[in-house]
Amino acid sequence: MDNRIMEDSFSRDGIQLPQAIDVEKALLGTLMVESHAYWQIYDLLHSTMFYSEQHQLIYVVIEQLSEINSYIDAVVVLDYLKK
């Protein structure tokens, strides 16, 4: 297993941080399929709550697209990330 991944999953105190990568993926997928769902959770969720840095970035893009009332799907998010 990649040592960086192992190190990232532990706090400075050696305590394993909570993580649910599959849940993060499911949530982001839902937000890209049901773009109106963002407005139901926007005040409950922040990008730093995602364990995966990639998921944090994807969530920030979804936030930004939602704020400008843009259409959101996986293709739009990917294009935005490439910029």
Side-chain angles (χ1 to χ4, degrees):
M1 180 177 273
D2 184 353
N3 286 339
R4 190 182 73 74
I5 293 172
M6 287 296 292
E7 290 171 7
D8 287 348
S9 65
F10 290 89
S11 72
R12 287 184 225 150
D13 300 329
I15 299 170
Q16 186 164 7
L17 299 172
Q19 52 186 301
I21 301 299
D22 290 338
V23 173
E24 291 181 12
K25 288 178 182 179
L27 175 63
L28 293 170
T30 299
L31 293 174
M32 286 186 273
V33 171
E34 301 289 338
S35 58
H36 67 277
Y38 170 78
W39 295 109
Q40 296 174 347
I41 55 98
Y42 79 97
D43 58 341
L44 303 173
L45 190 62
H46 190 271
S47 63
T48 59
M49 294 177 170
F50 288 90
Y51 176 78
S52 165
E53 288 182 22
Q54 292 90 354
H55 294 167
Q56 291 175 10
L57 290 173
I58 292 168
Y59 185 75
V60 167
V61 169
I62 292 170
E63 282 180 315
Q64 292 173 351
L65 292 171
S66 295
E67 292 293 329
I68 61 171
N69 294 317
S70 177
Y71 178 76
I72 300 171
D73 68 8
V75 174
V76 172
V77 170
L78 181 60
D79 286 344
Y80 197 93
L81 287 168
K82 288 181 179 180
K83 293 180 183 179

